[in-house]
Amino acid sequence: MSDQVTPTTPPTDLWTSIDDLWRWLDANQAHGDREGLLLRILKLSEEVGEVAQAVIGATGQNPRKGTTHTWEDVQSELCDVVITALVALRTLTPDAREVFAERLGRVWERSVGDAQVS
């Protein structure tokens, strides 16, 4: 019997959830070390491809397939991209929360912040 307790509902805190997912993936990864890290980052490309597939499906751009997805599917796939990116960031550094907050602040400052100064 495992000593790990599986929560019945995900935590509401974003970073607690990301840490939980990171720990779960690390405990269940097929490849470790550098290869595991690279594969985790490559997973992001797979998820972005699924967003593209959902947009194409929602807009019916493939005449052979027609409309195969909804905009809610696109939303779900975009969430998967964000989650995958944050887990990859957490894999690179235990300070993912701080790294992300700093980067978000810089992006905000050079876009929204600059617009508010004008």
Side-chain angles (χ1 to χ4, degrees):
M1 182 172 222
S2 173
D3 290 337
Q4 283 186 323
V5 176
T6 304
T8 56
T9 59
T12 57
D13 176 70
L14 171 69
W15 289 104
T16 300
S17 297
I18 294 302
D19 283 342
D20 288 347
L21 289 167
W22 170 76
R23 276 191 289 281
W24 177 79
L25 284 169
D26 266 12
N28 294 285
Q29 65 183 344
H31 303 279
D33 299 324
R34 187 178 182 136
E35 185 178 18
L37 170 64
L38 295 175
L39 289 169
R40 193 159 297 167
I41 293 170
L42 284 176
K43 178 71 173 162
L44 188 54
S45 294
E46 178 187 13
E47 295 297 343
V48 169
E50 291 176 10
V51 171
Q53 183 179 21
V55 169
I56 289 167
T59 57
Q61 290 303 301
N62 185 336
R64 184 175 54 81
K65 293 182 179 179
T67 302
T68 58
H69 291 75
T70 66
W71 288 106
E72 287 78 19
D73 294 327
V74 176
Q75 292 172 17
S76 293
E77 295 300 342
L78 285 169
C79 289
D80 289 350
V81 168
V82 172
I83 293 165
T84 301
L86 291 176
V87 170
L89 179 61
R90 174 59 184 87
T91 301
L92 285 173
T93 177
D95 300 323
R97 179 188 305 234
E98 293 80 13
V99 169
F100 182 77
E102 182 179 326
R103 183 64 184 165
L104 180 59
R106 286 183 186 167
V107 171
W108 183 91
E109 190 62 43
R110 74 172 185 235
S111 53
V112 177
D114 287 347
Q116 290 183 349
V117 173
S118 300

